Amino acid sequence: MLPVQRYWPAAGASDPLGQVLATLDSQLGIGWRQNPNYRVKPPSAGFLDNYGYLECAGPEAPVRTVDLRLGLLLLGPATLYPPHQHPAEEIYLPLGPGRWWRAGDSWREFTSGAVIHHPPMCGHATESGNDALAAIYLWRGEIETAARID
C-alpha cells in the first residue's frame, strides 16, 4: 500500500466518475503504483508519500491494452507534481479542484468537468491545493516510455 492511498477514495467521492473508480478499485484490487523514474530519484522530499496512480487499462493493467493507458492520478494535499514530459499524448479529467501548468501557458485552476490536454513531449505540471487531488488520465500514442521530470 502506498502512503498516498490514505486520501483515496475521499479525493474522488464527490464526483460520479470518482465513485465508479472507487468501486472498481475495491472490487478488482488493482495495485497502486509510482513511476519508476521517480522512485529512483524523487523530485522532492515527501513527494513519494503524496503521489501514486492506479492503472485500470494498459500493458500491465487488469484490462490489457497496447495502445492506451487509462487510470487515476492521486496527489496528496499541497503537493507539486513538477514539470515533466513523456512521448504519449495525455488527457486529464480532474475529479476536484487543482492547478495545472503547460509549457507556453500559465498556471490555471481546473475542477471536475474540465478536460486538460497535453500533446506529446509538452512539459506540464500539476499542483493540489488544501485537499488531495484525483484526476482520471488517458495516455495514447507512445505509451511505453515513463514520464521524466524536466
Side-chain angles (χ1 to χ4, degrees):
M1 184 164 162
L2 297 178
V4 73
Q5 287 179 252
R6 67 191 180 276
Y7 301 113
W8 183 252
S14 64
D15 188 277
L17 286 173
Q19 294 167 9
V20 168
L21 283 171
T23 301
L24 285 175
D25 178 28
S26 66
Q27 291 179 353
L28 297 178
I30 304 169
W32 287 80
R33 297 188 258 174
Q34 294 176 322
N35 180 320
N37 295 328
Y38 306 162
R39 292 191 63 78
V40 170
K41 186 178 176 188
S44 63
F47 180 77
L48 294 178
D49 288 340
N50 289 290
Y51 154 81
Y53 64 92
L54 175 74
E55 198 154 272
C56 303
E60 303 93 27
V63 176
R64 302 277 183 193
T65 63
V66 295
D67 55 352
L68 67 86
R69 292 182 183 268
L70 174 68
L72 177 77
L73 168 70
L74 182 60
L75 297 177
T79 299
L80 172 65
Y81 187 166
H84 60 283
Q85 60 185 359
H86 39 75
E89 175 183 24
E90 181 175 53
I91 297 169
Y92 276 115
L93 303 171
L95 302 180
R99 291 177 9 109
W100 305 78
W101 171 85
R102 183 168 87 174
D105 202 357
S106 58
W107 281 95
R108 296 176 56 194
E109 298 277 338
F110 289 100
T111 191
S112 297
V115 176
I116 302 161
H117 177 253
H118 300 130
M121 299 309 292
C122 178
H124 56 280
T126 307
E127 185 174 45
S128 58
N130 292 330
D131 297 315
L133 171 64
I136 296 170
Y137 68 85
L138 172 72
W139 276 25
R140 66 182 190 173
E142 205 286 90
I143 64 168
E144 293 298 322
T145 303
R148 293 196 180 279
I149 301 293
D150 290 339

